[in-house]
Every structure is written in structure tokens, then in C-alpha cells.
Amino acid sequence: MRVAVIGSGRIGGGLARLLVRAGHTVFVANSRGPESLAGLVSLLGPSASARSAVDAARSAQVVVLAVPASVAGDLFPADAVTGKILVDATNQVRSGGSPTSSERLAARYPNASVVKSLNTMRHDVLVAAAGRTGQPPLAHFVASDDEDAKQTVASLVESLGFAVVDTGDLHTGSLLQQPGGLLFDIELTAEEATDRLAAAHVRN
């Protein structure tokens, strides 16, 4: 799969490494321009290349936003992600109800399919736990109003060596996954996550 990773910090860089290892073609971009990514691309190998954010988005099937939530809506014009799957891996501090960061992205990029995923783990856990052996894989979560996009991202996450738990529609799932949510920054297997969600539902 062709995947753009927008953001080259600890999460973005870690995701790019895992994606290349899983056999995907990766386009990396950041706010400083392709020249600043030469070192990272050299480490990633021939399956990765540095692009501008616009070029990376236009070239990919799936675009992962691994940037601060405050800048996620200003990365490229809306038509750059028309027909694309846009993965919201940002973390917005929860403030009251809605809209969530994912809903803001869906409004900003109305012709993209937004999926909330890949945001709940610290970077060190993300890299260390991918494809772990001898114990059940840790879970990542997917939420979207587009079921086909959700399944595509689920397959992508599984290729990295994680289990996947569906947390529902974009609003509900984003609330569960973002900071302050039930699933944020907690290392869980799929079974543990499912039990945690079921217990919370019973209490409600």
C-alpha cells in the first residue's frame, strides 16, 4: 500500500519505520521540507521517499497525520486528499463534548474518508510492541463513519503487527481514543480492550 506519513517526530518516524518493515511504500513529509528528511529516508531505505506534504498526500492511498492536532487542518488544500483515506493520529486534549479532532478534519477535508487510529500509544510502546512474539499483540483502535475506509486501515494496522478493535463511528470512537478517553495511553490486548469497553457500557 502507498502510505503518506505527515510528521517526522517520534510517532511519525516510528510509524514510517514500521510501515517500511511491513512492505509498504512510504512517503514522508514534515513542515521543514523534503531536504530535512534526508537522514530519515536514508535509514528507511528504498521503499521510502521524502516529499512535500501536498505531494505525499497526492501520491498515497492512505494519509496518516502524525502532527499536533492544532495544525492538522492546515497541511494541504482539501483537493489533495479527495478520495483518500485520512488517518487522524493526532491527539487533542479533550474539551467538553465535540467536535473531536477527527470531526474537525472531516469538516475540513469533506471528500476524504477520516479514520481515527494510531494515536493511543506512546512512541516507545508503538515501536517496541509491533509484532511482539510469545504473547498476544497489543491493540490499536479504528473509528470511522466509512466502513470501507475503516477496514482498509484495520488491515494496515494488522500488517504492522497489532490487533485491531473497532470503536464505532467517528464521534464515539474518537472520544474513546483521544486524551482523557477510556482507551488512551493504556497498553491493552484486543481481549482486554473489549472487556474494558463492555464494562464501561454496563456502568453507563
Side-chain angles (χ1 to χ4, degrees), residues 182-204:
L182 189 68
L183 302 171
F184 182 74
D185 196 22
I186 303 172
E187 297 175 31
L188 299 167
T189 66
E191 182 178 1
E192 291 166 341
T194 300
D195 289 347
R196 187 176 179 85
L197 289 167
H201 179 71
V202 169
R203 286 199 298 271
N204 290 337

Side-chain angles (χ1 to χ4, degrees), residues 28-138:
V28 291
N30 64 13
S31 61
R32 299 183 300 279
E35 298 79 10
S36 69
L37 295 165
L40 175 60
V41 169
S42 177
L43 289 173
L44 293 174
S47 295
S49 60
R51 308 270 179 107
S52 68
V54 174
D55 287 344
R58 292 192 190 280
S59 301
Q61 297 160 281
V62 176
V63 181
V64 181
L65 301 183
V67 296
S70 59
V71 303
D74 301 317
L75 296 167
F76 29 65
D79 67 355
V81 288
T82 295
K84 312 286 185 177
I85 297 172
L86 195 59
V87 179
D88 178 18
T90 74
N91 281 316
Q92 170 184 284
V93 177
R94 189 170 175 176
S95 57
S98 57
T100 63
S101 63
S102 297
E103 290 171 299
R104 292 180 190 277
L105 285 172
R108 172 66 180 87
Y109 303 113
N111 295 317
S113 296
V114 177
V115 179
K116 184 68 173 180
S117 192
L118 295 169
N119 71 297
T120 58
M121 285 184 188
R122 299 190 313 273
H123 74 280
D124 54 333
V125 177
L126 175 75
V127 173
R132 68 180 188 173
T133 58
Q135 51 191 324
L138 291 183

Side-chain angles (χ1 to χ4, degrees), residues 134-159:
Q135 51 191 324
L138 291 183
H140 271 295
F141 310 98
V142 292
S144 182
D145 296 333
D146 183 325
E147 290 297 322
D148 290 339
K150 188 190 294 185
Q151 290 305 312
T152 297
V153 174
S155 296
L156 185 67
V157 170
E158 287 174 345
S159 78

